Amino acid sequence: MANKYGPFSVTLDLSPASPDFSGVLTQNTVNGVATFKDIAANMSGTFDLTATSTNIIPALTSLTLEPAVISLLELSVTPNPVSTNFDFTVNVTLRDQINRRWWKPSQIEASGNGLSGLLSQTTQSGSIIFTLRFKESGNQTLTFTSEGTSNSTYVLVLQNTLKITSITPTVSLT
């Protein structure tokens, strides 16, 4: 669309129409090119994508969208190592097959030997923070699972012990 009379306003349409095709669907050309940066298509199937503009012949292409699946659970444990019977947190972030943050609410299950806390939670925007605790010391495996995908990490759990470093005597006269 390089033309000295531009810029032109270009609009994208999807057929069949879907409410899951969203974003800024109209852009002006710059040097003959319309760039669409923030379009989301949270769906799957084959569609016709049409670009239209006033006084220009519409452009049509067939588009096949693959269903997104959770393919990665990112885990971050704080602190690490942890102590028995003390809370620690795990930040879990879900990503799809092209490394985008997962957008749908998803159930995540946590498991581990001697693990306690809220072991099942639902994400809201692709991530959630678990507050957990281990009852047993040693190298523990912590596993998170969601929609057929799982990830494990090792956590060093130290035995919680009380160490007295000094005692101050108290004098009392009777």
Side-chain angles (χ1 to χ4, degrees), residues 85-172:
N85 299 311
F86 276 90
D87 288 348
F88 65 96
T89 60
V90 181
N91 188 354
V92 181
T93 301
L94 305 177
R95 298 207 175 269
D96 70 7
Q97 71 268 28
I98 57 173
N99 206 32
R100 294 177 299 193
R101 185 183 284 242
W102 190 248
W103 70 94
K104 295 188 293 187
S106 297
Q107 191 74 20
I108 300 178
E109 307 289 330
S111 61
N113 188 27
L115 186 65
S116 64
L118 186 57
L119 302 180
S120 181
Q121 294 190 56
T122 302
T123 65
Q124 292 306 316
S125 59
S127 73
I128 192 90
I129 296 174
F130 282 78
T131 301
L132 304 169
R133 116 183 354 200
F134 276 110
K135 296 176 186 172
E136 300 175 19
S137 62
N139 283 321
Q140 300 289 349
T141 303
L142 185 58
T143 302
F144 290 86
T145 304
S146 182
E147 298 185 28
T149 301
S150 67
N151 193 3
S152 296
T153 188
Y154 295 102
V155 178
L156 176 59
V157 182
L158 304 174
Q159 182 65 44
N160 183 26
T161 58
L162 178 63
K163 181 179 178 185
I164 299 174
T165 56
S166 67
I167 296 176
T168 306
T170 303
V171 178
S172 64

Side-chain angles (χ1 to χ4, degrees), residues 51-62:
T52 57
S53 183
T54 305
N55 298 326
I56 305 256
I57 297 172
L60 173 70
T61 188
S62 181

Side-chain angles (χ1 to χ4, degrees), residues 26-78:
T26 300
Q27 295 288 340
N28 288 328
T29 60
V30 175
N31 296 324
V33 176
T35 303
F36 297 85
K37 295 181 183 178
D38 66 346
I39 294 175
N42 297 329
M43 57 202 182
S44 63
T46 301
F47 302 88
D48 289 329
L49 182 65
T50 306
T52 57
S53 183
T54 305
N55 298 326
I56 305 256
I57 297 172
L60 173 70
T61 188
S62 181
L63 175 68
T64 300
L65 301 172
E66 296 295 325
V69 294
I70 296 173
S71 63
L72 176 64
L73 283 82
E74 294 176 343
L75 307 175
S76 173
V77 178
T78 307

